[in-house]
Amino acid sequence: MIKGQYDRNWAMTRNTGNPAHAHEGSQKAISKDGRIPIDLLISPIAELVTAESHDGPVRGEDMRDIKRIKNAAIAISGGQIIAVGLADEIKHAVVTDENTQIIDASENLVSPGLVDAHTHLIFDGNRADEFVMRSQGKTYTEIAAAGGGIVKSMRATQNADVERLVSLGRKRIERMLESGTTALEVKTGYGLEAESELRMLEAIYRLKSESVLDIVPTFMAAHAIPPGKERERYVDDIVNDMLPRVVAMATEQAEREGVHVSHMMPYIDVFCDRGYFTLEDTRKIFAAAIKLGLKTRVHSDEFVNLGATTLAVELGAASADHLLNVSDEEIALLAKSSTVAVLLPGTSFYLNLSDHAPARRMIEEGVAVALATDYNPGSCHISSLPFVWGLACLHLKMLPEEALTALTVNGAWAIGLGANIGQLRPGYQADVTIYDVKQLEEVPYNIGWNPVKQVIKKGRTVYSR
Ligand SMILES: [Zn+2]
């Protein structure tokens, strides 16, 4: 396949979210001796790694308890995984013919496709100048006073039309794919007024339709308070004006694609923190959004703790993200909830902070932890999940196995796709990342170098080098 080129037919394959539909795409009949005909066989594999969960994210100590199989194989048909196991066993269980593609991964590690559960992928302009200012010791406040910060991205994004936002997004998604990402969440939040926020959402829908990757949209007009606007007034704008228009756009998109509106409804996210939105603002926005059928996720406890994680658990939010200042009580609440803790070690690294989210304590207490990039133009211009994997081991003290679980199964549950992606298991969508290293530990060990060699999405090679 040609690098970066997507097959539209495959791009349009709908995610049913139900592994019971596993064999839908396959036209082939099972052979007389009961063996299953397949169209892709990855065999032999130096080491196959996958976490497994049947009914929700993996939590606590179970996160390190992954499957590691040497000399393994994966059989794929109709875009779905048919069989996973030892190469010798798989050979006898399936039928190959001249149309079966065989990938020799005898020198390679193979994992599920990586899932990025937190990105701010759509924006115009860049903030490289701020990176330099920061390296010279300028503070966030000084940078903002010099015209930098989120407002700079807002101005550039407000001036961009949908076409431009889509083309910028397309390039960034391609870069993520080259680093092994096969599914991602994308937020709005640089428009900060109705028209621009909706333009961003439209760009995300366009990318979702055209891309072979699974893309999950999030509406995040409550990313910052636009300059010159009173906070309460802006919250009212979101609740009374923007949210109903978001639902109208999601409904239109669902009709266009012939799917139920629930497949197109974005998540709602709020930056609940000092200098951003209060707990009351967050509660108000979430209440209105839930009434309209949106699910919640929240930027919580990044700078200070305002109680957003408690609120997230109370509302059954899909995820609470950042969590540098999460309290012990909230860790206990998360452990008992279905809310996934999405940790973003790239941001602390990029901002040169000495503080990190208490990942070890969360895992010991039984929280389901996911990892994501937080890719954005200011505080974390990092789009590589293998890099984040290395940071998670170095700074969050996570084991390579725990990080794998966080970057696959738990990331998938955090964005509502856990029943269909994130695992190498029969019935799951065939999203596979193949590495130019032979074992799990070598991915974080090679931090800074892209170890990804080939990416399979829905049973097809969509990137190779
Ligand atoms: Zn973020």
Side-chain angles (χ1 to χ4, degrees):
M1 99 106 215
I2 300 151
K3 187 174 147 183
Q5 195 178 66
Y6 304 144
D7 181 326
R8 296 278 304 186
N9 293 328
W10 281 87
M12 297 306 284
T13 304
R14 279 293 138 230
N15 188 339
T16 63
N18 183 356
H21 297 165
H23 305 287
E24 263 183 0
S26 176
Q27 303 296 320
K28 297 177 182 176
I30 291 176
S31 72
K32 282 178 198 138
D33 59 2
R35 293 187 300 159
I36 306 160
I38 53 163
D39 42 46
L40 174 61
L41 179 67
I42 310 175
S43 181
I45 295 169
E47 181 175 28
L48 177 150
V49 291
T50 186
E52 285 193 341
S53 95
H54 295 262
D55 50 6
V58 183
R59 49 187 70 250
E61 286 187 356
D62 290 344
M63 287 182 64
R64 76 186 66 158
D65 189 21
I66 64 164
K67 217 180 219 180
R68 299 184 66 160
I69 312 174
K70 305 267 187 205
N71 198 20
I74 307 173
I76 291 165
S77 182
Q80 303 281 348
I81 295 169
I82 300 298
V84 174
L86 287 168
D88 282 346
E89 290 169 10
I90 300 295
K91 195 165 68 190
H92 298 298
V94 300
V95 180
T96 55
D97 59 27
E98 70 278 7
N99 297 319
T100 307
Q101 189 202 348
I102 297 174
I103 296 173
D104 178 346
S106 54
E107 297 294 317
N108 310 104
L109 172 77
V110 167
S111 82
L114 304 178
V115 180
D116 197 340
H118 183 139
T119 85
H120 302 262
L121 180 97
I122 305 287
F123 57 86
D124 200 354
N126 78 60
R127 283 156 54 191
D129 52 343
E130 286 175 34
F131 183 87
V132 178
M133 287 169 84
R134 228 180 9 249
S135 72
Q136 293 168 326
K138 296 269 192 304
T139 66
Y140 190 84
T141 321
E142 288 169 325
I143 290 168
I150 214 165
V151 172
K152 187 178 177 191
S153 295
M154 179 200 78
R155 297 223 161 88
T157 306
Q158 283 182 346
N159 288 328
D161 61 16
V162 177
E163 293 302 330
R164 176 155 172 86
L165 295 177
V166 170
S167 82
L168 287 165
R170 197 179 283 139
K171 279 191 202 125
R172 293 168 189 152
I173 288 170
E174 199 174 304
R175 212 150 58 210
M176 288 181 168
L177 173 64
E178 291 170 12
S179 301
T181 299
T182 56
L184 66 151
E185 181 258 16
V186 183
K187 302 174 202 295
T188 73
Y190 292 107
L192 305 183
E193 52 90 18
E195 300 307 326
S196 312
E197 281 294 316
L198 289 162
R199 232 178 3 254
M200 287 187 75
L201 186 61
E202 193 184 336
I204 299 170
Y205 281 131
R206 290 262 294 273
L207 291 165
K208 180 177 166 63
S209 298
E210 75 170 34
S211 177
V212 72
L213 276 73
D214 287 303
I215 293 176
V216 172
T218 293
F219 187 71
M220 200 188 176
H223 190 195
I225 297 142
K229 187 100 185 177
E230 214 184 318
R231 204 191 70 243
E232 288 88 344
R233 288 280 306 279
Y234 186 58
V235 170
D236 286 343
D237 285 356
I238 294 172
V239 168
N240 301 323
D241 178 32
M242 295 190 216
L243 282 178
R245 291 169 71 182
V246 164
V247 174
M249 189 183 276
T251 309
E252 232 172 77
Q253 188 70 21
E255 277 166 13
R256 204 165 21 238
E257 305 216 1
V259 296
H260 189 266
V261 65
S262 60
H263 291 279
M264 287 296 155
M265 204 64 103
Y267 283 91
I268 181 84
D269 196 343
V270 175
F271 195 169
C272 182
D273 221 309
R274 185 179 56 203
Y276 293 86
F277 295 87
T278 66
L279 187 65
E280 274 323 297
D281 299 334
T282 309
R283 198 184 284 279
K284 194 171 173 186
I285 294 167
F286 280 174
I290 289 169
K291 225 184 243 172
L292 292 169
L294 280 76
K295 292 184 182 139
T296 56
R297 54 192 333 117
V298 68
H299 280 60
S300 183
D301 311 329
E302 183 176 0
F303 303 123
V304 295
N305 186 326
L306 298 182
T309 303
T310 303
L311 178 66
V313 172
E314 192 184 299
L315 297 177
S319 71
D321 304 29
H322 283 292
L323 303 177
L324 272 73
N325 296 290
V326 68
S327 68
D328 288 346
E329 293 73 26
E330 285 169 316
I331 290 178
L333 284 176
L334 282 168
K336 286 195 220 83
S337 77
S338 60
T339 303
V340 178
V342 178
L343 308 186
L344 309 162
T347 312
S348 329
F349 171 78
Y350 204 82
L351 292 176
N352 206 14
L353 304 177
S354 51
D355 285 344
H356 300 283
R360 278 269 50 96
R361 216 156 12 106
M362 287 189 207
I363 292 171
E364 272 149 30
E365 295 298 320
V367 175
V369 172
L371 289 161
T373 59
D374 193 21
Y375 175 67
N376 74 69
S379 65
C380 185
H381 200 246
I382 296 171
S383 58
S384 159
L385 286 175
F387 187 78
V388 166
W389 193 334
L391 292 178
C393 294
L394 281 175
H395 291 166
L396 302 183
K397 313 292 177 204
M398 288 173 75
L399 293 168
E401 291 90 342
E402 291 167 337
L404 173 81
T405 303
L407 288 162
T408 54
V409 179
N410 286 1
W413 282 105
I415 59 171
L417 301 178
N420 204 42
I421 63 167
Q423 307 182 37
L424 298 177
R425 206 171 109 206
Y428 270 66
Q429 188 166 288
D431 296 359
V432 184
T433 296
I434 303 174
Y435 304 81
D436 207 1
V437 296
K438 283 180 89 165
Q439 63 171 9
L440 180 74
E441 291 75 11
E442 291 180 62
V443 177
Y445 166 68
N446 274 296
I447 188 166
W449 167 72
N450 181 15
V452 174
K453 181 171 183 274
Q454 188 168 356
V455 181
I456 315 283
K457 182 68 183 174
K458 296 173 186 164
R460 308 257 304 225
T461 295
V462 288
Y463 169 74
S464 67
R465 69 169 163 91

